[in-house]
């Protein structure tokens, strides 16, 4: 599963991607630097994984991760092919969620393509372009069912009614996320405004609280979430050694990495939870979608475990933290044997029993 990093040109998208991945993605000061999407795998900071690594004295630590895709900047008119609009839209259709970077900083060195700061205006530009793209798709899809619906075909009539509702809402400026339409039908179409969204306010030390407030208010109105990151500062920090990073953050009074906040927010955006496998060789965090069964969790570890699944031995990392040993966890009745219908829970430590 992937999150597409989007935004207007020069808002800090590629700079954020560089900081996330320490990759050499171009971030020069002109629009459309990013043409082909770049993909980065970003580890998710997890104190529970750190605890397990220490508890089991694991020499190898493998964190869960979130995949971010750096997508070309969008300009007004993208839905009609302006700028790199067609490429932007095709790339964004392929991701599972959207992280939209919104400029909340002044800079004489970095050109503002909109002429002035306006976080809500900038966010609305991209939202409008996505709505227009969805409207075009809904109208094209609607044409496919018109004839069959007239002949009385029930499935065609249902889909036509769904698309009529979608078209009406989009014409009123309402995103799919906010519409009360059949979610089963939504899955059958690649509507851009149905994708979950995280707004990332790119701030600096001079950003006024009112600008951040604009982003928060717009995100709430869009049924989305928002975080703020000083992208330039994060980029400077990740260029240092781990020891220097810790010292620098302490000096600045930064308790938590902004990139770590983004990674966890991305994990939540994708509705992912974390389960663990841990022992004296390795402590490993794994992502599954909330609501997935333990069989799917087994498949994350190895396909043979999913195919030959028998049962899972499960306890939670919190119980291990509280009780202090596996023996104490077992004595307290906290270790369970679960079948294939068990729904994986955040913080589960899992041992899969299987036969191929």
């Amino acid at each position: 599963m992937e999150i597409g990093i989007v935004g207007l040109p020069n808002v800090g998208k590629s700079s954020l991607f560089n900081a996330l991945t320490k990759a050499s993605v171009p971030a020069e000061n002109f629009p459309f630097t990013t043409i082909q999407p770049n993909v980065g795998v970003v580890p998710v900071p997890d104190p529970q994984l750190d605890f397990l690594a220490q508890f089991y004295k694991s020499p190898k630590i493998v964190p869960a991760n979130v995949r971010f895709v750096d997508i070309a900047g969008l300009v007004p008119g993208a839905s009609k092919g302006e700028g790199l609009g067609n490429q932007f839209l095709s790339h964004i259709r392929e991701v599972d969620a959207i992280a939209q970077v919104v400029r909340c900083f002044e800079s004489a060195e970095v050109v503002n393509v909109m002429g002035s700061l306006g976080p809500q205006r900038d966010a609305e530009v991209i939202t409008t372009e996505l709505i227009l793209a969805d409207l075009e798709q809904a109208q094209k899809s609607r044409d496919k069912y018109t004839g069959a619906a007239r002949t009385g075909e029930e499935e065609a009539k249902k889909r036509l009614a769904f698309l009529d509702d979608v078209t009406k809402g989009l014409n009123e400026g309402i995103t799919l996320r906010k519409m009360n339409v059949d979610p089963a039908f939504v899955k059958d179409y690649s509507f851009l405004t149905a994708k979950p969204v995280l707004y990332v306010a790119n701030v600096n030390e001079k950003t006024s609280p009112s600008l951040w407030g604009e982003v928060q208010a717009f995100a709430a109105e869009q049924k989305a979430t928002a975080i703020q990151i000083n992208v330039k500062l994060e980029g400077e920090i990740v260029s240092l050694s781990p020891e220097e990073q810790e010292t620098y953050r302490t000096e600045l009074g930064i308790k938590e990495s902004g990139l770590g906040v983004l990674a966890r927010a991305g994990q939540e955006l994708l509705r992912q939870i974390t389960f663990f496998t841990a022992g004296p060789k390795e402590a490993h965090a794994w992502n599954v979608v909330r609501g997935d069964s333990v069989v799917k969790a087994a498949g994350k570890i190895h396909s043979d475990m999913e195919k030959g699944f028998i049962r899972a031995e499960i306890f939670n990392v919190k119980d291990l933290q509280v009780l202090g040993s596996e023996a104490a966890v077992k004595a307290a009745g906290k270790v369970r044997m679960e079948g294939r219908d068990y729904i994986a829970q955040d913080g589960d430590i899992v041992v899969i029993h299987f036969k191929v």
Side-chain angles (χ1 to χ4, degrees):
M1 301 184 76
E2 295 179 336
I3 299 174
I5 302 177
V6 306
L8 296 171
N10 292 0
V11 298
K13 295 185 302 82
S14 293
S15 295
L16 175 60
F17 185 84
N18 287 345
L20 281 167
T21 64
K22 299 182 183 178
S24 298
V25 178
E28 283 83 5
N29 177 29
F30 55 88
F32 313 130
T33 297
T34 305
I35 298 177
Q36 295 301 320
N38 302 281
V39 180
V41 179
V42 184
V44 180
D46 193 329
Q48 291 184 326
L49 178 63
D50 296 337
F51 163 78
L52 291 174
Q54 292 179 356
F55 182 87
Y56 288 105
K57 297 180 172 57
S58 308
K60 184 178 181 181
I61 304 173
V62 184
N65 59 71
V66 177
R67 291 171 61 90
F68 286 92
V69 181
D70 186 28
I71 297 176
L74 176 146
V75 294
S79 60
K80 302 300 181 184
E82 293 294 329
L84 296 172
N86 291 331
Q87 291 180 355
F88 172 94
L89 296 173
S90 66
H91 292 151
I92 200 172
R93 288 191 197 284
E94 297 172 1
V95 299
D96 302 286
I98 300 168
Q100 182 180 339
V101 182
V102 182
R103 181 168 175 159
C104 292
F105 66 91
E106 293 280 11
S107 173
E109 290 77 35
V110 182
V111 175
N112 188 332
V113 297
M114 298 298 285
S116 62
L117 282 182
Q120 181 171 334
R121 174 205 61 206
D122 295 354
E124 286 175 344
V125 167
I126 288 187
T127 300
T128 298
E129 294 301 325
L130 299 185
I131 285 175
L132 291 173
D134 278 355
L135 185 60
E136 182 178 359
Q137 182 184 350
Q139 290 170 337
K140 287 180 179 178
S141 299
R142 186 184 182 283
D143 293 341
K144 297 178 182 178
Y145 301 107
T146 303
R150 287 174 181 168
T151 64
E153 186 179 315
E154 286 302 318
E155 180 67 12
K157 288 167 65 176
K158 290 178 182 178
R159 288 188 177 270
L160 189 61
F162 162 75
L163 290 167
D164 282 343
D165 289 341
V166 167
T167 299
K168 181 177 183 296
L170 291 170
N171 275 319
E172 294 173 358
I174 302 172
T175 62
L176 265 291
R177 288 186 304 278
K178 297 171 62 180
M179 291 186 199
N180 183 24
V181 291
D182 191 336
F185 283 156
V186 173
K187 293 179 182 179
D188 295 336
Y189 302 89
S190 299
F191 287 125
L192 302 178
T193 63
K195 297 179 185 291
V197 175
L198 169 69
Y199 290 95
V200 181
N202 185 4
V203 303
N204 62 15
E205 60 281 355
K206 296 181 180 179
T207 297
S208 70
S210 63
L211 291 175
W212 165 230
E214 273 190 43
V215 178
Q216 288 179 298
F218 186 76
E221 192 271 331
Q222 289 295 317
K223 292 191 175 180
T225 55
I227 62 172
Q228 56 177 326
I229 296 180
N230 186 329
V231 173
K232 183 179 180 182
L233 178 61
E234 292 293 336
E236 293 172 353
I237 291 174
V238 297
S239 67
L240 304 173
S241 69
E243 296 77 15
E244 290 173 325
Q245 288 183 34
E246 186 174 350
T247 300
Y248 194 22
R249 290 188 191 281
T250 301
E251 291 175 352
L252 294 175
I254 301 174
K255 295 181 179 179
E256 186 174 16
S257 163
L259 303 183
V261 172
L262 176 60
R264 276 198 300 276
Q267 193 177 42
E268 183 64 28
L269 190 66
L270 294 171
R271 298 180 57 251
Q272 292 180 334
I273 62 167
T274 303
F275 74 95
F276 304 96
T277 53
K281 292 184 178 180
E282 177 183 279
H284 198 135
W286 308 83
N287 282 334
V288 289
V289 175
R290 188 178 294 112
D292 276 353
S293 69
V294 70
V295 178
K296 285 191 176 182
K300 292 286 183 178
I301 303 170
H302 198 285
S303 59
D304 284 348
M305 290 186 176
E306 182 174 9
K307 293 174 183 176
F309 180 88
I310 299 173
R311 63 185 179 276
E313 184 177 347
I314 294 174
F315 58 102
N316 198 278
V317 64
K318 291 181 180 178
D319 293 325
L320 187 61
Q321 287 175 315
V322 171
L323 298 173
S325 71
E326 285 191 11
V329 173
K330 290 179 180 178
K334 299 291 187 179
V335 179
R336 310 180 310 281
M337 288 294 182
E338 299 287 358
R340 60 176 50 250
D341 294 332
Y342 174 75
I343 302 302
Q345 301 297 311
D346 193 59
D348 277 349
I349 301 172
V350 178
V351 178
I352 303 296
H353 297 262
F354 69 104
K355 183 179 181 180
V356 178

